[in-house]
Amino acid sequence: MENFYMFVLMCIFFIIFPGPDTAIATKNTVTAGKVGGLKTVLGICCALLIHTSAAVLGLSAIIVKSALLFSVFKYVGAVYLIYLGVKTLWTLKKKEVAASVEMNTKKSKMVSTSCFKQGFLTNLLNPKVAILFLTFFPQFVDPGSNTFLPFVIMGTTYTVMTAIWSFLYVYLINHISAFMKKPKTQNIIEGITGTILIGFGINLFLEKTHN
């Protein structure tokens, strides 16, 4: 493997750049608290490990090179992002302003149970992650060498760095929860998050299929 430190530096830029993962982690931290945010991050990291395994085994390459498989993967991911966005906006619309504390607590617990799944599927069904692994990682591998171990190292490094950044982000959001969890602020965040997720989904849906 070549230029490991350069790889780490580039990973930092990729990880901190806001995307669907950031949007869903923000929403779940605000609505379900620190536990919900951490469960979301755990789901994201588990999906990244699957992407790493797929890259090592060559499955991601097959998906990227096959127009049909890539299209199926892309559209499923796009539909899921749009679904999450619409669901968030619909929940916001139906939310009762004068909800009791007990109802909010029950809602938070219910939301928390789905946080892992949302984080996991949001990342797993994003074909851009597979493309990132197969276009970015090879640049740091010696030409003609075996890619198994370098891909494992890079995938694990990327996952660990994502986990560290995401955990810090969740703790930051939770630290200012007194402000973030005000009904008005929470409504704004959920509205923005829902719109962003729909936007990501539409953008992914409209992107041309790679040949």
Side-chain angles (χ1 to χ4, degrees):
M1 182 177 174
E2 298 179 335
N3 300 320
F4 180 74
Y5 294 110
M6 178 60 70
F7 168 76
V8 171
L9 181 62
M10 293 300 295
C11 283
I12 293 174
F13 289 106
F14 282 124
I15 291 170
I16 66 176
F17 189 80
D21 291 348
T22 304
I24 201 67
T26 302
K27 181 186 79 70
N28 288 345
T29 302
V30 172
T31 57
K34 181 173 66 176
V35 173
L38 294 179
K39 285 184 177 181
T40 304
V41 173
L42 182 60
I44 291 170
C45 291
C46 286
L48 284 175
L49 290 177
I50 291 179
H51 278 294
T52 299
S53 301
V56 169
L57 297 174
L59 299 178
S60 293
I62 295 175
I63 292 174
V64 171
K65 290 181 179 179
S66 169
L68 177 60
L69 287 177
F70 183 84
S71 294
V72 171
F73 201 61
K74 182 184 74 170
Y75 291 136
V76 170
V79 169
Y80 183 70
L81 288 177
I82 293 173
Y83 161 75
L84 283 180
V86 171
K87 182 180 178 181
T88 300
L89 294 179
W90 181 256
T91 301
L92 179 61
K93 181 180 179 182
K94 290 293 184 179
K95 185 184 293 181
E96 294 183 7
V97 178
S100 66
V101 175
E102 182 179 357
M103 288 179 64
N104 283 332
T105 302
K106 289 181 178 180
K107 178 185 175 184
S108 294
K109 290 181 179 179
M110 181 177 66
V111 171
S112 180
T113 59
S114 66
C115 288
F116 175 88
K117 181 179 70 175
Q118 290 180 7
F120 179 78
L121 291 178
T122 296
N123 188 279
L124 184 68
L125 296 177
N126 187 355
K128 290 185 176 181
V129 179
I131 293 173
L132 172 66
F133 276 36
L134 290 176
T135 57
F136 175 56
F137 285 12
Q139 299 178 40
F140 299 91
V141 178
D142 297 328
S145 64
N146 191 318
T147 61
F148 180 84
L149 185 57
F151 268 40
V152 170
I153 294 174
M154 288 187 285
T156 303
T157 301
Y158 189 89
T159 302
V160 170
M161 291 178 65
T162 299
I164 294 173
W165 165 255
S166 299
F167 282 141
L168 291 175
Y169 180 77
V170 166
Y171 274 96
L172 173 63
I173 297 297
N174 187 70
H175 184 68
I176 57 175
S177 60
F179 169 73
M180 300 290 284
K181 291 183 179 180
K182 288 182 179 179
K184 185 176 180 179
T185 305
Q186 193 171 121
N187 289 345
I188 292 174
I189 291 174
E190 289 189 26
I192 293 175
T193 300
T195 303
I196 289 174
L197 288 172
I198 293 174
F200 277 124
I202 293 175
N203 179 64
L204 184 59
F205 193 86
L206 295 178
E207 279 190 350
K208 292 182 179 180
T209 301
H210 287 66
N211 293 319

